[in-house]
Amino acid sequence: MEREKIIKIKEEELDNQPMASQRAIEARDALDDALEEYIVAVQEDAFYWGYMTAMKRCNKQEG
């Protein structure tokens, strides 16, 4: 019975959730942009180091 009461309270309060402020929205957007930039940079690093490693191995096999 206690569980049902908790669920009912939760469902009622979901409608009362405040909207995010403009500041919070802008901060989240900035965080999203920074995270995307970080992911792209990490992918570029991984590609670069993989490419350089492959080139070194090719040069060792030729020489």
Side-chain angles (χ1 to χ4, degrees):
M1 187 65 168
E2 190 68 27
R3 184 173 188 275
E4 288 82 18
K5 286 181 185 179
I6 293 171
I7 291 172
K8 185 173 190 258
I9 292 170
K10 180 183 169 202
E11 288 172 351
E12 290 170 356
E13 291 302 315
L14 284 176
D15 293 336
N16 295 327
Q17 291 291 326
M19 301 268 310
S21 68
Q22 189 60 36
R23 181 175 177 215
I25 292 169
E26 290 171 1
R28 186 199 61 223
D29 290 345
L31 180 61
D32 288 345
D33 292 344
L35 184 58
E36 180 67 25
E37 182 65 27
Y38 173 75
I39 291 169
V40 169
V42 168
Q43 289 174 334
E44 288 174 355
D45 285 353
F47 174 80
Y48 173 78
W49 291 110
Y51 177 80
M52 293 305 291
T53 300
M55 292 304 292
K56 286 179 183 177
R57 287 187 180 177
C58 286
N59 288 338
K60 284 182 182 178
Q61 289 177 358
E62 290 177 4

